[in-house]
PDB file of all heavy atoms in Angstrom:
ATOM      1  N   SER A1185      77.115 115.593 121.188  1.00 91.00           N
ATOM      2  CA  SER A1185      75.971 115.531 122.038  1.00 91.00           C
ATOM      3  C   SER A1185      75.196 114.210 121.883  1.00 91.00           C
ATOM      4  O   SER A1185      74.962 113.722 120.787  1.00 91.00           O
ATOM      5  CB  SER A1185      75.008 116.688 121.693  1.00 91.00           C
ATOM      6  OG  SER A1185      73.776 116.541 122.473  1.00 91.00           O
ATOM      7  N   PRO A1186      74.816 113.622 123.015  1.00 92.00           N
ATOM      8  CA  PRO A1186      74.028 112.353 122.969  1.00 92.00           C
ATOM      9  C   PRO A1186      72.522 112.604 122.939  1.00 92.00           C
ATOM     10  O   PRO A1186      71.751 111.630 123.106  1.00 92.00           O
ATOM     11  CB  PRO A1186      74.442 111.664 124.256  1.00 92.00           C
ATOM     12  CG  PRO A1186      74.634 112.790 125.202  1.00 92.00           C
ATOM     13  CD  PRO A1186      75.185 113.953 124.393  1.00 92.00           C
ATOM     14  N   ASN A1187      72.128 113.840 122.726  1.00 94.00           N
ATOM     15  CA  ASN A1187      70.672 114.168 122.774  1.00 94.00           C
ATOM     16  C   ASN A1187      69.927 113.247 121.806  1.00 94.00           C
ATOM     17  O   ASN A1187      70.198 113.248 120.581  1.00 94.00           O
ATOM     18  CB  ASN A1187      70.474 115.625 122.368  1.00 94.00           C
ATOM     19  CG  ASN A1187      68.980 116.038 122.431  1.00 94.00           C
ATOM     20  OD1 ASN A1187      68.167 115.538 121.670  1.00 94.00           O
ATOM     21  ND2 ASN A1187      68.689 116.950 123.351  1.00 94.00           N
ATOM     22  N   PRO A1188      68.962 112.413 122.318  1.00 95.00           N
ATOM     23  CA  PRO A1188      68.293 111.460 121.445  1.00 95.00           C
ATOM     24  C   PRO A1188      67.452 112.047 120.332  1.00 95.00           C
ATOM     25  O   PRO A1188      67.423 111.497 119.219  1.00 95.00           O
ATOM     26  CB  PRO A1188      67.454 110.630 122.407  1.00 95.00           C
ATOM     27  CG  PRO A1188      67.286 111.518 123.624  1.00 95.00           C
ATOM     28  CD  PRO A1188      68.520 112.337 123.692  1.00 95.00           C
ATOM     29  N   ASP A1189      66.836 113.183 120.638  1.00 95.00           N
ATOM     30  CA  ASP A1189      66.000 113.815 119.572  1.00 95.00           C
ATOM     31  C   ASP A1189      66.872 114.341 118.433  1.00 95.00           C
ATOM     32  O   ASP A1189      66.518 114.185 117.251  1.00 95.00           O
ATOM     33  CB  ASP A1189      65.190 115.009 120.200  1.00 95.00           C
ATOM     34  CG  ASP A1189      64.135 114.530 121.171  1.00 95.00           C
ATOM     35  OD1 ASP A1189      63.705 113.378 121.069  1.00 95.00           O
ATOM     36  OD2 ASP A1189      63.820 115.327 122.074  1.00 95.00           O
ATOM     37  N   MET A1190      68.030 114.853 118.764  1.00 95.00           N
ATOM     38  CA  MET A1190      68.927 115.387 117.751  1.00 95.00           C
ATOM     39  C   MET A1190      69.446 114.220 116.919  1.00 95.00           C
ATOM     40  O   MET A1190      69.509 114.278 115.695  1.00 95.00           O
ATOM     41  CB  MET A1190      70.137 116.110 118.408  1.00 95.00           C
ATOM     42  CG  MET A1190      71.116 116.727 117.425  1.00 95.00           C
ATOM     43  SD  MET A1190      72.419 115.594 116.910  1.00 95.00           S
ATOM     44  CE  MET A1190      73.355 115.405 118.412  1.00 95.00           C
ATOM     45  N   ARG A1191      69.838 113.128 117.545  1.00 96.00           N
ATOM     46  CA  ARG A1191      70.336 111.991 116.795  1.00 96.00           C
ATOM     47  C   ARG A1191      69.303 111.411 115.865  1.00 96.00           C
ATOM     48  O   ARG A1191      69.578 111.081 114.716  1.00 96.00           O
ATOM     49  CB  ARG A1191      70.792 110.876 117.793  1.00 96.00           C
ATOM     50  CG  ARG A1191      72.073 111.170 118.512  1.00 96.00           C
ATOM     51  CD  ARG A1191      72.406 110.084 119.553  1.00 96.00           C
ATOM     52  NE  ARG A1191      73.762 110.215 120.057  1.00 96.00           N
ATOM     53  CZ  ARG A1191      74.249 109.430 121.026  1.00 96.00           C
ATOM     54  NH1 ARG A1191      73.530 108.469 121.518  1.00 96.00           N
ATOM     55  NH2 ARG A1191      75.516 109.606 121.434  1.00 96.00           N
ATOM     56  N   SER A1192      68.067 111.347 116.319  1.00 97.00           N
ATOM     57  CA  SER A1192      66.988 110.765 115.519  1.00 97.00           C
ATOM     58  C   SER A1192      66.674 111.716 114.318  1.00 97.00           C
ATOM     59  O   SER A1192      66.508 111.235 113.171  1.00 97.00           O
ATOM     60  CB  SER A1192      65.703 110.576 116.353  1.00 97.00           C
ATOM     61  OG  SER A1192      65.945 109.587 117.338  1.00 97.00           O
ATOM     62  N   ALA A1193      66.658 113.009 114.557  1.00 97.00           N
ATOM     63  CA  ALA A1193      66.354 113.975 113.491  1.00 97.00           C
ATOM     64  C   ALA A1193      67.455 113.931 112.448  1.00 97.00           C
ATOM     65  O   ALA A1193      67.204 114.003 111.247  1.00 97.00           O
ATOM     66  CB  ALA A1193      66.216 115.380 114.078  1.00 97.00           C
ATOM     67  N   LEU A1194      68.652 113.837 112.899  1.00 97.00           N
ATOM     68  CA  LEU A1194      69.800 113.763 111.958  1.00 97.00           C
ATOM     69  C   LEU A1194      69.763 112.477 111.164  1.00 97.00           C
ATOM     70  O   LEU A1194      70.066 112.486 109.961  1.00 97.00           O
ATOM     71  CB  LEU A1194      71.145 113.915 112.758  1.00 97.00           C
ATOM     72  CG  LEU A1194      72.384 114.000 111.936  1.00 97.00           C
ATOM     73  CD1 LEU A1194      72.344 115.200 110.944  1.00 97.00           C
ATOM     74  CD2 LEU A1194      73.616 114.152 112.814  1.00 97.00           C
ATOM     75  N   GLY A1195      69.424 111.389 111.819  1.00 97.00           N
ATOM     76  CA  GLY A1195      69.303 110.119 111.108  1.00 97.00           C
ATOM     77  C   GLY A1195      68.310 110.200 109.956  1.00 97.00           C
ATOM     78  O   GLY A1195      68.566 109.676 108.874  1.00 97.00           O
ATOM     79  N   LYS A1196      67.198 110.809 110.215  1.00 97.00           N
ATOM     80  CA  LYS A1196      66.182 111.026 109.167  1.00 97.00           C
ATOM     81  C   LYS A1196      66.709 111.868 108.013  1.00 97.00           C
ATOM     82  O   LYS A1196      66.466 111.582 106.844  1.00 97.00           O
ATOM     83  CB  LYS A1196      64.948 111.684 109.736  1.00 97.00           C
ATOM     84  CG  LYS A1196      64.162 110.820 110.739  1.00 97.00           C
ATOM     85  CD  LYS A1196      63.038 111.590 111.406  1.00 97.00           C
ATOM     86  CE  LYS A1196      62.366 110.817 112.473  1.00 97.00           C
ATOM     87  NZ  LYS A1196      61.303 111.599 113.169  1.00 97.00           N
ATOM     88  N   ALA A1197      67.501 112.923 108.347  1.00 97.00           N
ATOM     89  CA  ALA A1197      68.017 113.832 107.344  1.00 97.00           C
ATOM     90  C   ALA A1197      69.106 113.166 106.517  1.00 97.00           C
ATOM     91  O   ALA A1197      69.338 113.518 105.354  1.00 97.00           O
ATOM     92  CB  ALA A1197      68.567 115.112 107.983  1.00 97.00           C
ATOM     93  N   LEU A1198      69.802 112.197 107.098  1.00 97.00           N
ATOM     94  CA  LEU A1198      70.885 111.495 106.389  1.00 97.00           C
ATOM     95  C   LEU A1198      70.405 110.284 105.581  1.00 97.00           C
ATOM     96  O   LEU A1198      71.188 109.749 104.765  1.00 97.00           O
ATOM     97  CB  LEU A1198      71.920 110.995 107.408  1.00 97.00           C
ATOM     98  CG  LEU A1198      72.752 112.074 108.121  1.00 97.00           C
ATOM     99  CD1 LEU A1198      73.601 111.434 109.216  1.00 97.00           C
ATOM    100  CD2 LEU A1198      73.670 112.841 107.117  1.00 97.00           C
ATOM    101  N   ALA A1199      69.160 109.920 105.757  1.00 97.00           N
ATOM    102  CA  ALA A1199      68.615 108.745 105.079  1.00 97.00           C
ATOM    103  C   ALA A1199      68.775 108.864 103.569  1.00 97.00           C
ATOM    104  O   ALA A1199      68.439 109.877 102.949  1.00 97.00           O
ATOM    105  CB  ALA A1199      67.138 108.586 105.419  1.00 97.00           C
ATOM    106  N   GLY A1200      69.376 107.797 102.961  1.00 96.00           N
ATOM    107  CA  GLY A1200      69.599 107.773 101.499  1.00 96.00           C
ATOM    108  C   GLY A1200      70.855 108.484 101.054  1.00 96.00           C
ATOM    109  O   GLY A1200      71.230 108.403  99.880  1.00 96.00           O
ATOM    110  N   ARG A1201      71.576 109.099 101.983  1.00 97.00           N
ATOM    111  CA  ARG A1201      72.802 109.820 101.592  1.00 97.00           C
ATOM    112  C   ARG A1201      73.866 109.740 102.719  1.00 97.00           C
ATOM    113  O   ARG A1201      74.807 110.548 102.777  1.00 97.00           O
ATOM    114  CB  ARG A1201      72.542 111.266 101.235  1.00 97.00           C
ATOM    115  CG  ARG A1201      71.731 112.024 102.326  1.00 97.00           C
ATOM    116  CD  ARG A1201      71.476 113.446 101.915  1.00 97.00           C
ATOM    117  NE  ARG A1201      70.465 114.086 102.730  1.00 97.00           N
ATOM    118  CZ  ARG A1201      70.065 115.355 102.594  1.00 97.00           C
ATOM    119  NH1 ARG A1201      70.604 116.086 101.610  1.00 97.00           N
ATOM    120  NH2 ARG A1201      69.170 115.897 103.423  1.00 97.00           N
ATOM    121  N   ARG A1202      73.768 108.723 103.537  1.00 96.00           N
ATOM    122  CA  ARG A1202      74.768 108.534 104.634  1.00 96.00           C
ATOM    123  C   ARG A1202      76.205 108.498 104.118  1.00 96.00           C
ATOM    124  O   ARG A1202      77.099 109.067 104.731  1.00 96.00           O
ATOM    125  CB  ARG A1202      74.405 107.219 105.364  1.00 96.00           C
ATOM    126  CG  ARG A1202      75.517 106.638 106.210  1.00 96.00           C
ATOM    127  CD  ARG A1202      75.811 107.479 107.431  1.00 96.00           C
ATOM    128  NE  ARG A1202      76.897 106.987 108.233  1.00 96.00           N
ATOM    129  CZ  ARG A1202      78.186 107.323 108.100  1.00 96.00           C
ATOM    130  NH1 ARG A1202      78.545 108.203 107.136  1.00 96.00           N
ATOM    131  NH2 ARG A1202      79.114 106.841 108.893  1.00 96.00           N
ATOM    132  N   GLU A1203      76.454 107.861 102.941  1.00 97.00           N
ATOM    133  CA  GLU A1203      77.798 107.696 102.442  1.00 97.00           C
ATOM    134  C   GLU A1203      78.430 108.999 102.016  1.00 97.00           C
ATOM    135  O   GLU A1203      79.648 109.073 101.855  1.00 97.00           O
ATOM    136  CB  GLU A1203      77.794 106.703 101.272  1.00 97.00           C
ATOM    137  CG  GLU A1203      77.324 105.322 101.588  1.00 97.00           C
ATOM    138  CD  GLU A1203      78.152 104.650 102.657  1.00 97.00           C
ATOM    139  OE1 GLU A1203      79.387 104.856 102.634  1.00 97.00           O
ATOM    140  OE2 GLU A1203      77.622 103.928 103.486  1.00 97.00           O
ATOM    141  N   LYS A1204      77.656 110.047 101.859  1.00 97.00           N
ATOM    142  CA  LYS A1204      78.191 111.332 101.471  1.00 97.00           C
ATOM    143  C   LYS A1204      78.867 112.035 102.676  1.00 97.00           C
ATOM    144  O   LYS A1204      79.590 113.013 102.471  1.00 97.00           O
ATOM    145  CB  LYS A1204      77.081 112.263 100.957  1.00 97.00           C
ATOM    146  CG  LYS A1204      76.541 111.860  99.615  1.00 97.00           C
ATOM    147  CD  LYS A1204      75.555 112.902  99.132  1.00 97.00           C
ATOM    148  CE  LYS A1204      75.039 112.606  97.723  1.00 97.00           C
ATOM    149  NZ  LYS A1204      74.108 113.655  97.253  1.00 97.00           N
ATOM    150  N   PHE A1205      78.623 111.583 103.882  1.00 98.00           N
ATOM    151  CA  PHE A1205      79.021 112.305 105.055  1.00 98.00           C
ATOM    152  C   PHE A1205      80.026 111.499 105.907  1.00 98.00           C
ATOM    153  O   PHE A1205      79.965 110.312 105.958  1.00 98.00           O
ATOM    154  CB  PHE A1205      77.822 112.713 105.909  1.00 98.00           C
ATOM    155  CG  PHE A1205      76.950 113.743 105.256  1.00 98.00           C
ATOM    156  CD1 PHE A1205      75.930 113.390 104.401  1.00 98.00           C
ATOM    157  CD2 PHE A1205      77.224 115.093 105.489  1.00 98.00           C
ATOM    158  CE1 PHE A1205      75.161 114.351 103.740  1.00 98.00           C
ATOM    159  CE2 PHE A1205      76.426 116.074 104.857  1.00 98.00           C
ATOM    160  CZ  PHE A1205      75.397 115.698 104.008  1.00 98.00           C
ATOM    161  N   VAL A1206      80.910 112.278 106.533  1.00 98.00           N
ATOM    162  CA  VAL A1206      81.870 111.697 107.506  1.00 98.00           C
ATOM    163  C   VAL A1206      81.357 112.063 108.895  1.00 98.00           C
ATOM    164  O   VAL A1206      81.304 113.231 109.283  1.00 98.00           O
ATOM    165  CB  VAL A1206      83.289 112.285 107.270  1.00 98.00           C
ATOM    166  CG1 VAL A1206      84.239 111.814 108.377  1.00 98.00           C
ATOM    167  CG2 VAL A1206      83.811 111.940 105.888  1.00 98.00           C
ATOM    168  N   LEU A1207      80.991 111.046 109.632  1.00 98.00           N
ATOM    169  CA  LEU A1207      80.417 111.262 110.981  1.00 98.00           C
ATOM    170  C   LEU A1207      81.479 111.023 112.051  1.00 98.00           C
ATOM    171  O   LEU A1207      82.071 109.957 112.167  1.00 98.00           O
ATOM    172  CB  LEU A1207      79.223 110.329 111.184  1.00 98.00           C
ATOM    173  CG  LEU A1207      78.044 110.483 110.192  1.00 98.00           C
ATOM    174  CD1 LEU A1207      76.900 109.578 110.601  1.00 98.00           C
ATOM    175  CD2 LEU A1207      77.572 111.954 110.134  1.00 98.00           C
ATOM    176  N   GLU A1208      81.698 112.037 112.836  1.00 97.00           N
ATOM    177  CA  GLU A1208      82.664 111.995 113.979  1.00 97.00           C
ATOM    178  C   GLU A1208      81.786 111.861 115.246  1.00 97.00           C
ATOM    179  O   GLU A1208      81.402 112.839 115.877  1.00 97.00           O
ATOM    180  CB  GLU A1208      83.478 113.277 114.000  1.00 97.00           C
ATOM    181  CG  GLU A1208      84.544 113.317 115.045  1.00 97.00           C
ATOM    182  CD  GLU A1208      85.420 114.550 114.931  1.00 97.00           C
ATOM    183  OE1 GLU A1208      85.071 115.612 115.427  1.00 97.00           O
ATOM    184  OE2 GLU A1208      86.462 114.461 114.260  1.00 97.00           O
ATOM    185  N   GLY A1209      81.415 110.612 115.550  1.00 96.00           N
ATOM    186  CA  GLY A1209      80.562 110.323 116.678  1.00 96.00           C
ATOM    187  C   GLY A1209      81.417 110.060 117.935  1.00 96.00           C
ATOM    188  O   GLY A1209      82.537 109.599 117.868  1.00 96.00           O
ATOM    189  N   HIS A1210      80.845 110.393 119.097  1.00 96.00           N
ATOM    190  CA  HIS A1210      81.629 110.299 120.353  1.00 96.00           C
ATOM    191  C   HIS A1210      81.244 109.095 121.187  1.00 96.00           C
ATOM    192  O   HIS A1210      80.070 108.732 121.324  1.00 96.00           O
ATOM    193  CB  HIS A1210      81.414 111.551 121.164  1.00 96.00           C
ATOM    194  CG  HIS A1210      82.106 112.767 120.619  1.00 96.00           C
ATOM    195  ND1 HIS A1210      82.906 113.590 121.349  1.00 96.00           N
ATOM    196  CD2 HIS A1210      82.117 113.282 119.354  1.00 96.00           C
ATOM    197  CE1 HIS A1210      83.392 114.560 120.576  1.00 96.00           C
ATOM    198  NE2 HIS A1210      82.893 114.382 119.343  1.00 96.00           N
ATOM    199  N   LEU A1211      82.276 108.450 121.716  1.00 96.00           N
ATOM    200  CA  LEU A1211      82.120 107.472 122.730  1.00 96.00           C
ATOM    201  C   LEU A1211      82.141 108.161 124.118  1.00 96.00           C
ATOM    202  O   LEU A1211      82.738 109.217 124.259  1.00 96.00           O
ATOM    203  CB  LEU A1211      83.274 106.423 122.691  1.00 96.00           C
ATOM    204  CG  LEU A1211      83.489 105.663 121.403  1.00 96.00           C
ATOM    205  CD1 LEU A1211      84.797 104.873 121.476  1.00 96.00           C
ATOM    206  CD2 LEU A1211      82.321 104.779 121.063  1.00 96.00           C
ATOM    207  N   CYS A1212      81.496 107.565 125.080  1.00 94.00           N
ATOM    208  CA  CYS A1212      81.523 108.075 126.465  1.00 94.00           C
ATOM    209  C   CYS A1212      80.553 109.266 126.706  1.00 94.00           C
ATOM    210  O   CYS A1212      80.657 109.921 127.723  1.00 94.00           O
ATOM    211  CB  CYS A1212      82.920 108.491 126.894  1.00 94.00           C
ATOM    212  SG  CYS A1212      84.142 107.216 126.703  1.00 94.00           S
ATOM    213  N   THR A1213      79.652 109.558 125.791  1.00 92.00           N
ATOM    214  CA  THR A1213      78.624 110.533 126.051  1.00 92.00           C
ATOM    215  C   THR A1213      77.273 109.818 126.120  1.00 92.00           C
ATOM    216  O   THR A1213      76.935 109.012 125.265  1.00 92.00           O
ATOM    217  CB  THR A1213      78.578 111.631 124.974  1.00 92.00           C
ATOM    218  OG1 THR A1213      78.242 111.028 123.714  1.00 92.00           O
ATOM    219  CG2 THR A1213      79.892 112.350 124.835  1.00 92.00           C
ATOM    220  N   ILE A1214      76.521 110.126 127.177  1.00 91.00           N
ATOM    221  CA  ILE A1214      75.235 109.480 127.372  1.00 91.00           C
ATOM    222  C   ILE A1214      74.195 110.519 127.748  1.00 91.00           C
ATOM    223  O   ILE A1214      74.503 111.620 128.103  1.00 91.00           O
ATOM    224  CB  ILE A1214      75.292 108.396 128.466  1.00 91.00           C
ATOM    225  CG1 ILE A1214      75.689 108.979 129.781  1.00 91.00           C
ATOM    226  CG2 ILE A1214      76.238 107.253 128.065  1.00 91.00           C
ATOM    227  CD1 ILE A1214      75.559 108.031 130.984  1.00 91.00           C
ATOM    228  N   TRP A1215      72.951 110.142 127.646  1.00 91.00           N
ATOM    229  CA  TRP A1215      71.784 111.007 127.966  1.00 91.00           C
ATOM    230  C   TRP A1215      71.139 110.406 129.211  1.00 91.00           C
ATOM    231  O   TRP A1215      70.686 109.283 129.185  1.00 91.00           O
ATOM    232  CB  TRP A1215      70.834 111.039 126.781  1.00 91.00           C
ATOM    233  CG  TRP A1215      69.807 112.124 126.897  1.00 91.00           C
ATOM    234  CD1 TRP A1215      68.473 112.003 127.146  1.00 91.00           C
ATOM    235  CD2 TRP A1215      70.022 113.530 126.698  1.00 91.00           C
ATOM    236  NE1 TRP A1215      67.857 113.230 127.129  1.00 91.00           N
ATOM    237  CE2 TRP A1215      68.771 114.212 126.811  1.00 91.00           C
ATOM    238  CE3 TRP A1215      71.174 114.302 126.377  1.00 91.00           C
ATOM    239  CZ2 TRP A1215      68.622 115.573 126.658  1.00 91.00           C
ATOM    240  CZ3 TRP A1215      70.994 115.660 126.215  1.00 91.00           C
ATOM    241  CH2 TRP A1215      69.767 116.296 126.354  1.00 91.00           C
ATOM    242  N   LYS A1216      71.107 111.185 130.318  1.00 86.00           N
ATOM    243  CA  LYS A1216      70.540 110.683 131.550  1.00 86.00           C
ATOM    244  C   LYS A1216      69.734 111.778 132.232  1.00 86.00           C
ATOM    245  O   LYS A1216      70.220 112.918 132.392  1.00 86.00           O
ATOM    246  CB  LYS A1216      71.649 110.214 132.473  1.00 86.00           C
ATOM    247  CG  LYS A1216      71.182 109.547 133.730  1.00 86.00           C
ATOM    248  CD  LYS A1216      72.323 108.940 134.520  1.00 86.00           C
ATOM    249  CE  LYS A1216      71.836 108.251 135.761  1.00 86.00           C
ATOM    250  NZ  LYS A1216      72.949 107.689 136.602  1.00 86.00           N
ATOM    251  N   ASP A1217      68.498 111.481 132.584  1.00 84.00           N
ATOM    252  CA  ASP A1217      67.637 112.455 133.280  1.00 84.00           C
ATOM    253  C   ASP A1217      67.482 113.728 132.455  1.00 84.00           C
ATOM    254  O   ASP A1217      67.475 114.841 133.006  1.00 84.00           O
ATOM    255  CB  ASP A1217      68.152 112.760 134.680  1.00 84.00           C
ATOM    256  CG  ASP A1217      68.245 111.537 135.539  1.00 84.00           C
ATOM    257  OD1 ASP A1217      67.393 110.661 135.403  1.00 84.00           O
ATOM    258  OD2 ASP A1217      69.174 111.454 136.363  1.00 84.00           O
ATOM    259  N   GLY A1218      67.430 113.535 131.139  1.00 85.00           N
ATOM    260  CA  GLY A1218      67.219 114.693 130.244  1.00 85.00           C
ATOM    261  C   GLY A1218      68.428 115.589 130.102  1.00 85.00           C
ATOM    262  O   GLY A1218      68.312 116.727 129.634  1.00 85.00           O
ATOM    263  N   GLN A1219      69.611 115.059 130.462  1.00 86.00           N
ATOM    264  CA  GLN A1219      70.851 115.868 130.339  1.00 86.00           C
ATOM    265  C   GLN A1219      71.986 115.047 129.746  1.00 86.00           C
ATOM    266  O   GLN A1219      72.011 113.846 129.853  1.00 86.00           O
ATOM    267  CB  GLN A1219      71.273 116.361 131.723  1.00 86.00           C
ATOM    268  CG  GLN A1219      70.347 117.424 132.343  1.00 86.00           C
ATOM    269  CD  GLN A1219      70.900 117.993 133.605  1.00 86.00           C
ATOM    270  OE1 GLN A1219      71.568 117.246 134.386  1.00 86.00           O
ATOM    271  NE2 GLN A1219      70.599 119.236 133.925  1.00 86.00           N
ATOM    272  N   TYR A1220      72.901 115.768 129.129  1.00 86.00           N
ATOM    273  CA  TYR A1220      74.152 115.171 128.618  1.00 86.00           C
ATOM    274  C   TYR A1220      75.080 114.860 129.769  1.00 86.00           C
ATOM    275  O   TYR A1220      75.277 115.663 130.690  1.00 86.00           O
ATOM    276  CB  TYR A1220      74.814 116.153 127.632  1.00 86.00           C
ATOM    277  CG  TYR A1220      76.327 116.167 127.632  1.00 86.00           C
ATOM    278  CD1 TYR A1220      77.042 115.135 127.121  1.00 86.00           C
ATOM    279  CD2 TYR A1220      76.989 117.267 128.216  1.00 86.00           C
ATOM    280  CE1 TYR A1220      78.442 115.176 127.127  1.00 86.00           C
ATOM    281  CE2 TYR A1220      78.392 117.317 128.234  1.00 86.00           C
ATOM    282  CZ  TYR A1220      79.106 116.269 127.703  1.00 86.00           C
ATOM    283  OH  TYR A1220      80.488 116.271 127.735  1.00 86.00           O
ATOM    284  N   LYS A1221      75.672 113.660 129.751  1.00 88.00           N
ATOM    285  CA  LYS A1221      76.620 113.265 130.773  1.00 88.00           C
ATOM    286  C   LYS A1221      77.842 112.627 130.105  1.00 88.00           C
ATOM    287  O   LYS A1221      77.704 111.977 129.046  1.00 88.00           O
ATOM    288  CB  LYS A1221      76.027 112.233 131.709  1.00 88.00           C
ATOM    289  CG  LYS A1221      74.793 112.668 132.464  1.00 88.00           C
ATOM    290  CD  LYS A1221      75.117 113.631 133.600  1.00 88.00           C
ATOM    291  CE  LYS A1221      73.842 113.942 134.421  1.00 88.00           C
ATOM    292  NZ  LYS A1221      74.161 114.875 135.538  1.00 88.00           N
ATOM    293  N   ARG A1222      79.003 112.794 130.675  1.00 89.00           N
ATOM    294  CA  ARG A1222      80.187 112.027 130.270  1.00 89.00           C
ATOM    295  C   ARG A1222      80.384 110.868 131.210  1.00 89.00           C
ATOM    296  O   ARG A1222      80.231 111.016 132.425  1.00 89.00           O
ATOM    297  CB  ARG A1222      81.413 112.942 130.323  1.00 89.00           C
ATOM    298  CG  ARG A1222      82.707 112.243 129.908  1.00 89.00           C
ATOM    299  CD  ARG A1222      83.904 113.122 130.046  1.00 89.00           C
ATOM    300  NE  ARG A1222      84.159 113.530 131.423  1.00 89.00           N
ATOM    301  CZ  ARG A1222      85.293 114.095 131.833  1.00 89.00           C
ATOM    302  NH1 ARG A1222      86.284 114.304 130.959  1.00 89.00           N
ATOM    303  NH2 ARG A1222      85.462 114.427 133.093  1.00 89.00           N
ATOM    304  N   THR A1223      80.756 109.719 130.657  1.00 92.00           N
ATOM    305  CA  THR A1223      80.932 108.522 131.484  1.00 92.00           C
ATOM    306  C   THR A1223      82.098 107.731 130.982  1.00 92.00           C
ATOM    307  O   THR A1223      82.464 107.788 129.796  1.00 92.00           O
ATOM    308  CB  THR A1223      79.661 107.646 131.476  1.00 92.00           C
ATOM    309  OG1 THR A1223      79.883 106.539 132.371  1.00 92.00           O
ATOM    310  CG2 THR A1223      79.373 107.111 130.084  1.00 92.00           C
TER     311      THR A1223
END
């Protein structure tokens, strides 16, 4: 999901321990007009 609020909240939760986690982030997902879009 490209939801910006989710990404920001997760970033805060990972602060100081990013290296402990394996992040499978997606290319081609964007947030437009308040909705998830594939591009």
Side-chain angles (χ1 to χ4, degrees):
S1185 175
N1187 183 292
D1189 294 335
M1190 183 274 291
R1191 287 177 169 177
S1192 295
L1194 186 57
K1196 293 174 185 176
L1198 291 172
R1201 50 181 169 180
R1202 162 68 182 92
E1203 298 300 322
K1204 290 185 176 183
F1205 291 88
V1206 174
L1207 301 184
E1208 184 173 86
H1210 288 230
L1211 303 172
C1212 307
T1213 62
I1214 60 171
W1215 194 252
K1216 187 175 182 180
D1217 300 326
Q1219 291 186 328
Y1220 143 74
K1221 301 283 186 181
R1222 179 184 63 167
T1223 184

